Amino acid sequence: MNRKIYYFFLLLILLSGSSSILYAQQPSLYPSFNSRKLSPGKTTYYIDPVKGNDQNNGTAIKTPWRTFNRANQLIFSAGDKLMIIAPGSFHQSLVIMANGIKASLVTISFAPGRYDFYPDRSFKTRFNISNTNDTPLSLKAIALYVVNSKYVKLNAPGAKIVLRGKMIETCVDKCENISINGISFDYERPTVSELKVVNVNDHYADLQIHPDSKYSIKDSVLTWEGEGWRHQPGWYWQVFNLKTGDLSRQSMELGKVKFENKDGMLRAWFAQNPGFKTGLIYQNRDVVRDCAGIFMQRSKNISLKNIRIYFMHGMGVVSQFCENISMDSVVVKPDEKSGRTCSAWADILHFSGCRGLININNCFLSASNDDAVNVHGTHLKIVEKLSPTQIKVRFMHNQTYGFDAFKAGDSIDFIHAESLLAFGNNKIISAKKLNDKEFLLTLQKSVSSNILDNDVVENITWTPRVWIHNTMITRIPTRGILVTTRRKVVIENCTFQRTCMTGVLIEDDAESWYESGMVRDLTIRKNNFVECGEPVISIHPENKIAESPVHKNISIINNMFTLKDSKVFGAQSASNIIFSGNEIKARVVTDLNKLIELKNCQNVKTSDNTILLK
């Protein structure tokens, strides 16, 4: 092929943004749906990465394939099984396309053991991922990819996927009825580097670098080295106190610090200590948001069960415009044997524009670089009224854009940015994507004449119910749970242990992250909040005008609070609040009113709360 023509087609692929576009340099490895062979069904295929051969028929345990290549040529049918019968290394992605049925699933299974996945010849494509779109044109490598599929079960108890470079660990894209059970994920070289301060002097500190945190020094400059990546330490650090369990963020500039290897450790020389303290563990990462750990989009009826995540790079487990998501017994925690203290590069569980039920049960969420759980929609700004029934809207945050925020048939609310109150609704007849940030919406009814500068719209069709229960949240540098949805939310029987900031935050804004929207039915009950940042529960919409309450119908009942300082609950622009039956342990036994902050709130009822000496 002519070199100019080749690069022209490669550019088209990069700019297309379609997840169905295959990796340009290896098209034969990942054929499209229409180019695959349909499996007859009720057939078992075998892969052995050590003893197999791709020239085998793959349909007998004694004649397995060696790589994923032959499996990636198939559309699996009802009753098919793909069995990876031995652990090993893969330089390809497993790209599943399957048409199972409810009575006869397609089953993918991994034998116990370690599986190394390398990105060099993996499936790569462009994704626009909410809250993590710093590199929108980059191709994301994927280890396990389930696309355009239904009724698939991935079962892998005892199997550990180890990523050998930045990769999406698992992607579920435009699928229905997908269950993933028993698998675990880790990185050979995590993208968060760690060190422990052994000694601090007036002009130097001795640093014990974690064995997994590879680095180099040239001309006294420290560079973190990874598999396919490298960066010099920036300003963003996290500090972990192993004795107290406290985890917090810290700004620390190392531009003037000189480094050298000294007696098996790293010595940092400085005129003024930038912030090192003896005995503390420091975590550092490149802050560019370029990936996600697990990514699921435009899919429904997804189940993640008995999943163990030792480390994931990027914006955690991101569910974007998905319907009915169950996460049961998902444990996010560093491997105890590794000595590492970080398991998640940013958020742990992140939900953007979902609907149906988000069910988080019996999970352990810990050791992240950001929030444990974040559930929200996205406000788009109204930038132009083109006709009585047409408006142009725009994504406003530079890390959230590019994905399809609307479909024909979706309903929207018009929201005043200053008050965060709705002033009308409408139904979308068509949504035309003009570019990565703007949509032309054609609406069923005439648009209200009350639109003001900076007003926004919210897609209210894609707003979920949320049930978070029996879950431990600990070693979190920011908030435990953020949730902004107008449908029913229940948070119960959970433990929030020493979150650096608020345990539960109910926000809503149209000027910073543009994360929507209003809360209409929230119950927080029978939880245990242990020395969290305060106020422990915060109702804090970012409205500038308090015309009327933004959030309503909030019940905080029968919880236990052990206060770090002096504030248990804070709320503004909210109404119909019940704070009842809670047990509060404080440094000083005082009146409840001194532990609560209220601003522009209506109909607040408190009763039967007990305040004890801590």
Side-chain angles (χ1 to χ4, degrees):
M1 179 185 292
N2 179 280
R3 185 180 297 270
K4 290 183 178 179
I5 296 175
Y6 169 79
Y7 283 112
F8 172 75
F9 281 109
L10 178 58
L11 180 62
L12 287 180
I13 288 172
L14 285 170
L15 295 176
S16 69
S18 172
S19 61
S20 64
I21 297 296
L22 304 182
Y23 182 30
Q25 294 176 340
Q26 297 288 340
S28 62
L29 293 179
Y30 308 110
S32 65
F33 190 89
N34 292 333
S35 300
R36 292 189 173 210
K37 179 182 177 181
L38 182 65
S39 171
K42 297 184 180 179
T43 304
T44 301
Y45 302 92
Y46 300 90
I47 294 176
D48 186 330
V50 178
K51 299 179 181 179
N53 188 320
D54 282 357
Q55 301 306 311
N56 291 338
N57 60 22
T59 56
I61 197 167
K62 293 183 178 180
T63 57
W65 298 322
R66 186 181 186 89
T67 73
F68 295 136
N69 184 55
R70 295 287 296 276
N72 289 340
Q73 312 298 312
L74 295 174
I75 299 172
F76 293 97
S77 299
D80 280 345
K81 295 180 180 180
L82 176 64
M83 302 182 68
I84 297 86
I85 59 176
S89 297
F90 292 94
H91 290 260
Q92 291 174 270
S93 307
L94 177 58
V95 180
I96 295 295
M97 296 184 183
N99 284 321
I101 60 175
K102 185 175 183 179
S104 187
L105 305 179
V106 172
T107 303
I108 316 297
S109 64
F110 284 79
R114 171 172 168 151
Y115 297 81
D116 287 82
F117 277 70
Y118 294 82
D120 52 333
R121 291 195 298 155
S122 66
F123 179 91
K124 298 179 176 73
T125 192
R126 176 187 168 192
F127 284 126
N128 296 108
I129 303 174
S130 179
N131 294 68
T132 185
N133 206 26
D134 278 340
T135 59
L137 295 181
S138 69
L139 293 172
K140 275 71 170 173
I142 305 169
L144 305 176
Y145 189 27
V146 186
V147 58
N148 295 325
S149 297
K150 57 185 179 182
Y151 289 104
V152 176
K153 181 177 183 179
L154 194 160
N155 196 43
K160 185 177 185 179
I161 305 297
V162 179
L163 287 306
R164 304 305 302 268
K166 293 182 181 180
M167 301 182 77
I168 295 176
E169 296 164 3
T170 297
C171 182
V172 179
D173 188 8
K174 297 185 288 293
C175 294
E176 297 181 16
N177 300 294
I178 307 297
S179 66
I180 302 174
N181 177 63
I183 200 166
S184 65
F185 298 97
D186 202 355
Y187 267 62
E188 172 73 12
R189 188 347 181 165
T191 55
V192 175
S193 302
E194 301 189 27
L195 61 87
K196 183 176 181 179
V197 179
V198 176
N199 175 55
V200 177
N201 203 305
D202 288 342
H203 294 294
Y204 68 83
D206 289 326
L207 314 174
Q208 184 178 26
I209 307 298
H210 191 281
D212 292 346
S213 298
K214 309 301 180 185
Y215 67 94
S216 63
I217 299 175
K218 183 178 181 180
D219 298 329
S220 301
V221 176
L222 171 66
T223 299
W224 299 118
E225 303 277 358
E227 296 185 292
W229 59 268
R230 64 199 308 267
H231 71 91
Q232 294 175 5
W235 62 270
Y236 177 89
W237 292 78
Q238 285 200 164
V239 183
F240 177 56
N241 188 321
L242 192 60
K243 293 181 180 180
T244 65
D246 287 333
L247 180 64
S248 60
R249 291 176 171 178
Q250 178 174 318
S251 178
M252 191 163 64
E253 296 287 353
L254 302 187
K256 296 181 179 181
V257 178
K258 306 298 182 182
F259 293 90
E260 66 171 345
N261 288 307
K262 184 78 171 179
D263 300 327
M265 288 187 286
L266 188 66
R267 178 162 289 181
W269 292 93
F270 43 74
Q272 183 176 355
N273 188 344
F276 293 121
K277 293 183 180 179
T278 302
L280 300 182
I281 295 173
Y282 290 72
Q283 305 169 357
N284 183 240
R285 64 175 170 91
D286 186 350
V287 298
V288 175
R289 299 187 177 200
D290 59 0
C291 198
I294 296 174
F295 179 50
M296 304 185 290
Q297 71 166 351
R298 291 290 175 183
S299 298
K300 68 179 181 180
N301 303 334
I302 306 168
S303 171
L304 303 183
K305 188 172 184 179
N306 299 317
I307 306 297
R308 186 70 160 84
I309 298 174
Y310 298 105
F311 183 83
M312 56 180 165
H313 171 71
M315 186 51 70
V317 181
V318 179
S319 303
Q320 183 171 287
F321 284 88
C322 291
E323 180 178 356
N324 296 332
I325 306 163
S326 173
M327 297 188 179
D328 188 352
S329 303
V330 174
V331 176
V332 182
K333 182 181 181 182
D335 189 339
E336 291 84 355
K337 297 178 182 178
S338 73
R340 301 197 308 245
T341 62
C342 180
S343 60
W345 184 95
D347 286 3
I348 298 178
L349 305 180
H350 195 107
F351 304 85
S352 175
C354 294
R355 72 178 181 184
L357 176 64
I358 296 172
N359 184 356
I360 300 170
N361 178 42
N362 197 34
C363 293
F364 190 100
L365 309 177
S366 73
S368 70
N369 259 231
D370 215 322
D371 308 315
V373 180
N374 189 354
V375 182
H376 66 87
T378 303
H379 285 132
L380 275 75
K381 183 179 177 181
I382 304 166
V383 293
E384 189 175 358
K385 182 178 177 181
L386 300 172
S387 79
T389 59
Q390 284 188 322
I391 56 172
K392 183 192 293 186
V393 297
R394 179 184 297 159
F395 284 113
M396 296 303 296
H397 196 278
N398 60 5
Q399 289 171 340
T400 299
Y401 66 92
F403 51 87
D404 291 332
F406 308 97
K407 295 287 187 183
D410 289 348
S411 295
I412 59 172
D413 261 4
F414 291 87
I415 308 290
H416 282 313
E418 297 286 301
S419 66
L420 295 176
L421 300 177
F423 63 93
N425 57 59
N426 217 315
K427 190 172 184 178
I428 297 173
I429 301 301
S430 67
K432 181 180 180 181
K433 190 174 182 179
L434 302 176
N435 51 58
D436 269 357
K437 292 196 173 183
E438 293 182 328
F439 292 85
L440 174 62
L441 302 183
T442 302
L443 305 174
Q444 188 178 69
K445 302 181 296 184
S446 295
V447 177
S448 171
S449 60
N450 296 328
I451 297 175
L452 305 174
D453 289 344
N454 299 319
D455 283 351
V456 296
V457 297
E458 179 187 12
N459 189 333
I460 63 174
T461 295
W462 288 88
T463 52
R465 293 174 287 124
V466 179
W467 185 22
I468 304 173
H469 50 127
N470 306 313
T471 289
M472 165 67 85
I473 295 174
T474 183
R475 284 169 54 183
I476 302 296
T478 49
R479 290 67 54 110
I481 296 174
L482 288 81
V483 59
T484 50
T485 175
R486 63 183 61 206
R487 302 188 193 275
K488 187 176 182 63
V489 178
V490 177
I491 302 170
E492 61 183 347
N493 298 314
C494 298
T495 297
F496 299 76
Q497 188 172 53
R498 302 181 72 86
T499 59
C500 186
M501 300 180 187
T502 292
V504 176
L505 174 61
I506 310 301
E507 212 167 25
D508 188 15
D509 81 275
E511 65 174 3
S512 53
W513 279 97
Y514 285 81
E515 292 183 358
S516 62
M518 60 189 69
V519 163
R520 287 292 177 263
D521 186 349
L522 168 66
T523 299
I524 303 172
R525 66 189 175 208
K526 298 182 181 179
N527 302 286
N528 187 14
F529 295 89
V530 182
E531 296 187 341
C532 295
E534 298 178 2
V536 179
I537 297 174
S538 178
I539 313 299
H540 194 271
E542 295 186 16
N543 55 318
K544 295 181 178 180
I545 299 174
E547 296 175 350
S548 184
V550 176
H551 299 311
K552 299 179 180 180
N553 306 322
I554 299 163
S555 296
I556 302 169
I557 53 178
N558 300 328
N559 300 281
M560 294 183 63
F561 298 90
T562 300
L563 297 187
K564 187 175 183 179
D565 192 10
S566 61
K567 298 299 177 185
V568 67
F569 175 57
Q572 68 177 42
S573 296
S575 67
N576 301 339
I577 300 171
I578 298 174
F579 190 92
S580 177
N582 300 289
E583 181 180 291
I584 304 165
K585 294 181 180 179
R587 293 181 179 180
V588 177
V589 177
T590 185
D591 183 82
L592 179 64
N593 291 328
K594 295 182 179 180
L595 304 179
I596 293 178
E597 291 181 338
L598 301 174
K599 181 181 179 181
N600 297 321
C601 291
Q602 302 172 9
N603 193 25
V604 179
K605 297 179 181 179
T606 63
S607 64
D608 302 319
N609 297 289
T610 304
I611 302 174
L612 303 174
L613 188 63
K614 180 179 174 183

